Amino acid sequence: MKFICNQSDLNSNLSLVSRAVPSRPTHPVLGNVLLVADEKKGRVSLTAFDLSLGIRTSFAAQVIEEGTITIPAKLLNDIVSKITEGEITLSCELEEGNDSIIADLTSDSGVFQFRGMSAGEFPELPVVEGEAIMLPVSALLEGLGCSLFAASADETKQVLTGVHLTQSQNALEFAATDGHRLAVVQTGDLSQDDEEKATVQENKDFQVTIPARALRELERILASRQETDQVSLYFDESQVVFELGDQRITSRKLDGTYPDYNQLIPRQFSRMMTVERKRLLSSIDLVAVLADQKNNIVKFSLDEKTNQLSLSVEAKDVGSAKQSMPVQIKGVSIDIAFNIKYLLDGLKAIPSTEITMQINENNQPVIFTPSGDLKMTYLVMPVQIRD
Amino acid sequence: MKFICNQSDLNSNLSLVSRAVPSRPTHPVLGNVLLVADEKKGRVSLTAFDLSLGIRTSFAAQVIEEGTITIPAKLLNDIVSKITEGEITLSCELEEGNDSIIADLTSDSGVFQFRGMSAGEFPELPVVEGEAIMLPVSALLEGLGCSLFAASADETKQVLTGVHLTQSQNALEFAATDGHRLAVVQTGDLSQDDEEKATVQENKDFQVTIPARALRELERILASRQETDQVSLYFDESQVVFELGDQRITSRKLDGTYPDYNQLIPRQFSRMMTVERKRLLSSIDLVAVLADQKNNIVKFSLDEKTNQLSLSVEAKDVGSAKQSMPVQIKGVSIDIAFNIKYLLDGLKAIPSTEITMQINENNQPVIFTPSGDLKMTYLVMPVQIRD
C-alpha cells in the first residue's frame, strides 16, 4: 500500500474517526484505525470501531498502490496533528503470513515508522440492508441540538441513554429524558423549509432509539455540512447506520420500550411567564455558584403584581443570593424550585430569544418552550421545598 | 464597612491574590481574602496568605465607611467573575464580640450575602525592615523567564525548588537547577538598557534563594507592568518581600546552601552546533509523541560532513521516528542523547531565533546558549545510550 495526501485531510479525518477508538481496547486491533487505499476511486478510507460505535470516513489521495493496514490510532493521530502542513506519504509492504507490519509515514522533515497490524484482524462494520429513510441535515441539527442534552449519562439507565426518533403523521419527533426532565422536538410538519418538509413527509412511519454517544458524533459531522444535505438512515433489529456521502456512522440500537413520554406533558396550565432567555440564563449561572455549595436548588418567585421574577438560593452557613428581572406573568403569584443543572442545560440548548414557562402548581411538571418557529418542549419536574 | 467599585477592578485584583489562598486551608480564615477599605486613600486592599506565600494588592474605590472583613476567597472570586460589568457595592456591619459577619454584595441584578469572619483572625503579612534592593522590571522578567522553568518541582528537593539570585561585580544573576539541568541568566552588567544597567550596578552584593512559586506570582504581576518600572526587594533571615507600588508579595526564604553551580559549567568545548530554535523545537515536539511511549529519550546525530542534525527516537514494539534539519557544525561528528523534557523546557523558554549547542563528549554536560544579547546558559546532562 502506498498513498500521498495532504496533512490537513489526513489530520481532520483521523480526528473524526478517533472518537470511535476505545481508550482501553478489549483487543489490540480495536485501538487501531483501519486504512484502505482505493486506487480507482483515488481515495483513502479510515475506519474506527469499538464494536458498538463505528465511524468511517474518506478523503482524496494520490493512491500509488492499493492496500490496507491498521495503525495504532492515538499515536498516528497525535503525530499527524503535529506535522506541519504539506504532503504526507504513507506506505507499507505486506508480508505473507505476518500479521505485524511496519508502516512508513514520510513528511518533509523526516520519517516515522509504526508497527501496524493486518486489516484481516479488524472487525467488519455492521451492514444494514433495506430502504433508506432520508433525513434532512437541517432537521437533524435542530432535533439533536434540542434533545441530546436531556438523555441520561448513566449507562445503567439503558434506553434512557439514547434519543428516541419517531416518524408519524408527517412529522419527525426527537425525544430524550433521564427520568427527571424531558426534551421533545418536532421537525418537518411545521418546518418553514419546504424542501425539509417534503423530505420528512415522504418517510414511512418508524420509531427507533439511538445511543446519544453515536448521535453526538453524527452532530459533529453534520456541523460541517450544508443544511440542505440529506442523511440516509438504515436500521434493523440490532443496528442503526447513518450515511452521508462517504461518511458513515454505525451503532447498536438501544433495546427496550421507550417511555410513553407524551402522556407526561400537561396540556393545560394555570400560570404562564415569558422572559428573555439570556438574561435568565446569566442570572441562574450567577446564583449557581452559591447553590453549588449546597443542594443545587434555586427558587423562582413569580410576582404577578410587579411582573417580576426573583431567583433565590440559600446555602446554609455559607450565604445567600437573590437576583431579579422583569418578566410577563399571567396567573397568580407562585414560588417554585428547581434543580439548577436541569435549567442550565435546557436554557443553553434552546436557541430562542425568549422562553415561555408554563406552570400549574409547585409540585407539578413545568414546561419551557422557545419563542419563534421551533417546536420544542422542555419538561422539568420541580423540587419540593420546605418553607 | 462599605465601598463601591467597578466589577472589573475587584475581579482582576481578586484573581491576583487568590493564588495565595490554600486549596485546603489549615485554619478556616486562611481560605478567606482580607478586605481593608481605606476612606482617606479611597482604596480597598485585598490580602491572601497561606502562611508561606502572601499577596497584597489594592484598587481605587469609593469608600463610604472604613472597615475590614475577611470573605471566603474562592466563592467571592467565582461570583464576582460572573457578574456583568458595572458597579458593585460591598458592605457589612461589624458586631462587637461576634466573629461571624454577614457581608452584602450588591450589583445591578441583585444581592449576594456571604458569611465572613472578622479581620482580627487573619494573620499579619511578614514585614521586613531595612534598605530596599532595587530591581528593574525588565531585568526581572528576563531573568525569571529564562530560569524559573529549570527549578525542581519536587518539594523534597528544598533549596532546588527555588531560583538563586546573586548580585556581584555589577551584575545580577539568576540560577535554577533540579540536579539534571541548570539555567543561568545574567542581567545588568551586559544590559543594552542604560537605566537598567545603572539600577543594577547601584545594588550592594547579596545572594538569596526564593521559592519558584512566589517568583511565578511575581512574574504574573510584572507582565502587566512597564519594563521601566522598578521592584523593591527586601529580605532578612527568613522572609523575602517584593514591593511594586501598592502590590506586595511576601514569601519565606529557602534555607540551605545553594550549589556552587558555576563550577559545573565547562569552559571549553570540542564541538559546536548552531540551529534555528523553532525548527529544532517543532521537530523535538514531533518525535516526543513516540518517545513518550517509552523512555522519553531522543538521540541527536550531528554530521559534520553534511552539516545536518538528525533526531531519532526508538520505541520498541511501537515504532521509530527520524527528523533531519540543516545546521552549522564545528568539530567532528557525534551521537548524543537527551531526556526530551529537558530540551523542550529550555527551547520553549529561550526567546532567541537561533540556539548554539556546545558539546565535548556524549557523557559530558552540554550547554545551550541563545543568539543575540541575552546572556543565558542552559546546561543539560546527556543520557547514556547503548548501541
Side-chain angles (χ1 to χ4, degrees):
Chain A
M1 185 192 75
K2 184 173 183 178
F3 66 83
I4 303 171
C5 67
N6 286 329
Q7 179 271 346
S8 61
D9 289 339
L10 182 56
N11 186 34
S12 58
N13 283 282
L14 271 174
S15 323
L16 210 68
V17 299
S18 287
R19 308 187 58 99
V21 178
S23 50
R24 288 172 196 168
T26 49
H27 184 283
V29 82
L30 299 181
N32 286 11
V33 59
L34 169 69
L35 293 97
V36 179
D38 186 323
E39 197 174 348
K40 225 178 286 167
K41 288 191 190 159
R43 293 186 82 82
V44 172
S45 86
L46 305 179
T47 307
F49 186 32
D50 65 7
L51 300 181
S52 168
L53 172 68
I55 305 180
R56 175 168 294 164
T57 177
S58 79
F59 56 93
Q62 183 188 339
V63 178
I64 292 157
E65 190 190 352
E66 294 218 324
T68 60
I69 189 177
T70 79
I71 298 178
K74 191 178 178 314
L75 191 62
L76 184 63
N77 195 11
D78 286 354
I79 286 170
V80 170
S81 70
K82 288 199 170 191
I83 291 177
T84 39
E85 276 185 48
E87 277 191 353
I88 284 181
T89 304
L90 217 146
S91 64
C92 64
E93 305 253 341
L94 280 177
E95 288 172 44
E96 284 285 336
N98 188 355
D99 274 351
S100 171
I101 312 160
I102 301 293
D104 283 4
L105 184 153
T106 315
S107 71
D108 283 349
S109 59
V111 61
F112 281 87
Q113 291 195 319
F114 304 94
R115 189 168 292 264
M117 291 173 81
S118 91
E121 303 270 305
F122 202 85
E124 291 276 343
L125 278 199
V127 176
V128 174
E129 308 278 341
E131 208 180 323
I133 295 159
M134 300 308 292
L135 302 175
V137 167
S138 55
L140 275 169
L141 281 175
E142 194 172 275
L144 295 176
C146 292
S147 65
L148 263 172
F149 73 91
S152 178
D154 177 353
E155 280 305 316
T156 65
K157 293 250 184 142
Q158 313 226 359
V159 81
L160 300 190
T161 61
V163 171
H164 191 66
L165 260 72
T166 314
Q167 167 95 33
S168 73
Q169 296 171 340
N170 299 332
L172 179 65
E173 191 166 282
F174 297 72
T177 175
D178 64 1
H180 303 286
R181 36 72 180 277
L182 162 72
V184 183
V185 193
Q186 276 170 0
T187 62
D189 188 20
L190 297 121
S191 175
Q192 298 297 294
D193 176 345
D194 285 342
E195 208 172 324
E196 175 181 320
K197 201 165 161 177
T199 309
V200 168
Q201 298 191 352
E202 268 174 28
N203 289 333
K204 289 182 194 154
D205 287 2
F206 70 87
Q207 51 180 312
V208 58
T209 313
I210 304 169
R213 190 177 155 227
L215 293 173
R216 289 205 181 90
E217 295 316 315
L218 177 64
E219 201 182 23
R220 209 178 307 271
I221 288 179
L222 296 184
S224 62
R225 293 304 189 119
Q226 300 282 343
E227 293 243 322
T228 50
D229 281 355
Q230 298 208 352
V231 176
S232 307
L233 166 67
Y234 303 87
F235 62 89
D236 60 16
E237 304 74 44
S238 65
Q239 295 290 332
V240 48
V241 176
F242 291 98
E243 244 180 35
L244 183 61
D246 264 339
Q247 296 180 315
R248 161 187 292 243
I249 295 179
T250 73
S251 171
R252 68 187 171 87
K253 267 172 57 182
L254 287 170
D255 291 333
T257 311
Y258 202 78
D260 183 8
Y261 55 85
N262 274 311
Q263 67 163 18
L264 302 175
I265 305 172
R267 300 296 151 192
Q268 288 194 322
F269 295 93
S270 57
R271 297 172 173 88
M272 190 167 115
M273 182 197 85
T274 302
V275 58
E276 200 191 313
R277 182 180 65 96
K278 284 194 178 159
R279 175 77 185 265
L280 178 60
L281 180 57
S282 68
S283 290
I284 294 179
D285 203 36
L286 194 52
V287 299
V289 177
L290 210 70
D292 190 46
Q293 303 276 319
K294 286 284 162 180
N295 51 13
N296 261 317
I297 290 173
V298 59
K299 186 172 80 177
F300 279 44
S301 301
L302 282 70
D303 186 334
E304 177 208 357
K305 289 210 189 81
T306 58
N307 266 316
Q308 188 150 322
L309 166 67
S310 296
L311 312 180
S312 51
V313 165
E314 291 288 337
K316 201 164 168 278
D317 298 331
V318 180
S320 65
K322 192 169 179 177
Q323 299 282 310
S324 300
M325 70 203 72
V327 294
Q328 292 121 49
I329 296 174
K330 283 183 196 161
V332 294
S333 301
I334 190 173
D335 284 1
I336 186 167
F338 301 96
N339 181 316
I340 273 197
K341 179 183 152 38
Y342 298 149
L343 299 182
L344 285 175
D345 285 351
L347 291 171
K348 281 177 190 161
I350 300 173
S352 68
T353 311
E354 289 193 322
I355 293 265
T356 297
M357 218 175 133
Q358 289 168 282
I359 306 169
N360 282 315
E361 297 301 329
N362 60 18
N363 57 358
Q364 292 171 18
V366 167
I367 71 168
F368 296 81
T369 48
S371 58
D373 298 322
L374 177 62
K375 185 123 172 93
M376 188 244 186
T377 304
Y378 184 44
L379 179 150
V380 179
M381 274 306 292
V383 177
Q384 284 302 95
I385 39 168
R386 285 169 297 179
D387 276 323
Chain B
M1 185 194 74
K2 184 173 184 180
F3 66 84
I4 303 171
C5 67
N6 287 328
Q7 179 271 345
S8 60
D9 289 339
L10 182 56
N11 186 35
S12 58
N13 284 282
L14 271 173
S15 327
L16 208 70
V17 300
S18 286
R19 309 186 57 98
V21 179
S23 50
R24 289 174 196 168
T26 49
H27 184 282
V29 81
L30 299 180
N32 287 10
V33 57
L34 169 70
L35 294 98
V36 179
D38 185 324
E39 198 175 347
K40 226 179 283 169
K41 287 190 191 159
R43 292 187 84 83
V44 172
S45 86
L46 304 179
T47 307
F49 185 33
D50 65 9
L51 300 181
S52 168
L53 172 67
I55 305 181
R56 175 167 294 164
T57 175
S58 79
F59 55 93
Q62 184 189 338
V63 178
I64 292 156
E65 190 190 353
E66 294 219 323
T68 62
I69 189 177
T70 80
I71 299 177
K74 188 174 178 320
L75 191 62
L76 184 62
N77 196 11
D78 287 353
I79 286 170
V80 169
S81 69
K82 289 200 168 187
I83 290 178
T84 39
E85 277 187 46
E87 276 191 354
I88 285 180
T89 305
L90 217 148
S91 64
C92 66
E93 305 251 342
L94 281 176
E95 288 171 44
E96 282 287 334
N98 188 355
D99 273 352
S100 169
I101 313 160
I102 301 294
D104 284 3
L105 184 154
T106 315
S107 72
D108 282 350
S109 59
V111 62
F112 282 88
Q113 291 195 318
F114 304 94
R115 189 169 292 265
M117 290 173 81
S118 91
E121 303 271 303
F122 202 84
E124 292 276 343
L125 279 198
V127 177
V128 174
E129 309 278 340
E131 209 181 323
I133 295 159
M134 299 309 293
L135 303 175
V137 167
S138 54
L140 275 168
L141 281 174
E142 194 173 275
L144 296 176
C146 292
S147 65
L148 264 172
F149 73 91
S152 177
D154 177 354
E155 280 303 317
T156 65
K157 293 251 183 143
Q158 311 226 0
V159 82
L160 300 190
T161 61
V163 172
H164 192 67
L165 260 71
T166 314
Q167 166 93 34
S168 72
Q169 296 168 342
N170 299 334
L172 180 64
E173 191 167 280
F174 297 73
T177 175
D178 64 2
H180 303 285
R181 36 72 180 275
L182 162 72
V184 183
V185 193
Q186 274 167 2
T187 61
D189 188 19
L190 297 121
S191 174
Q192 297 298 293
D193 176 346
D194 284 343
E195 210 172 323
E196 174 180 322
K197 201 164 161 177
T199 308
V200 168
Q201 298 193 353
E202 269 175 25
N203 288 333
K204 288 182 195 155
D205 286 3
F206 70 88
Q207 50 179 313
V208 59
T209 313
I210 304 169
R213 188 176 159 229
L215 293 173
R216 288 203 182 90
E217 296 314 315
L218 177 64
E219 202 181 22
R220 207 178 308 271
I221 288 179
L222 295 184
S224 61
R225 293 306 188 117
Q226 301 281 343
E227 293 242 323
T228 50
D229 281 355
Q230 299 209 352
V231 176
S232 307
L233 166 66
Y234 303 87
F235 63 91
D236 59 16
E237 304 76 44
S238 65
Q239 296 289 333
V240 47
V241 176
F242 291 98
E243 244 179 33
L244 183 61
D246 264 341
Q247 297 180 317
R248 161 187 293 240
I249 294 180
T250 73
S251 170
R252 67 187 171 88
K253 267 173 57 184
L254 287 169
D255 290 334
T257 311
Y258 203 79
D260 184 8
Y261 55 84
N262 274 310
Q263 68 165 18
L264 303 173
I265 305 171
R267 301 296 152 191
Q268 286 193 324
F269 296 92
S270 57
R271 297 170 173 91
M272 188 167 114
M273 181 196 88
T274 302
V275 58
E276 200 190 314
R277 181 180 66 96
K278 283 193 180 160
R279 176 78 184 263
L280 178 59
L281 180 57
S282 68
S283 291
I284 295 179
D285 203 36
L286 194 52
V287 299
V289 177
L290 211 71
D292 190 45
Q293 304 276 321
K294 288 282 161 184
N295 50 15
N296 262 317
I297 290 173
V298 59
K299 188 172 81 176
F300 279 43
S301 300
L302 281 69
D303 187 332
E304 177 208 356
K305 289 210 190 79
T306 57
N307 265 318
Q308 189 149 323
L309 166 67
S310 296
L311 312 181
S312 52
V313 165
E314 291 288 338
K316 199 161 169 278
D317 298 331
V318 181
S320 65
K322 193 169 177 175
Q323 299 282 311
S324 299
M325 70 205 73
V327 294
Q328 292 121 49
I329 296 174
K330 283 185 197 158
V332 295
S333 301
I334 189 173
D335 284 0
I336 186 167
F338 301 96
N339 180 317
I340 274 198
K341 180 184 151 36
Y342 298 149
L343 298 183
L344 285 176
D345 284 352
L347 290 171
K348 281 177 190 163
I350 300 172
S352 68
T353 311
E354 290 193 321
I355 292 264
T356 297
M357 219 175 131
Q358 288 169 283
I359 306 169
N360 282 315
E361 297 302 329
N362 61 16
N363 58 357
Q364 291 171 17
V366 167
I367 70 168
F368 296 81
T369 48
S371 58
D373 298 323
L374 177 63
K375 186 127 173 88
M376 189 243 187
T377 305
Y378 184 44
L379 178 150
V380 179
M381 274 307 292
V383 177
Q384 284 302 95
I385 39 169
R386 287 168 298 181
D387 276 324

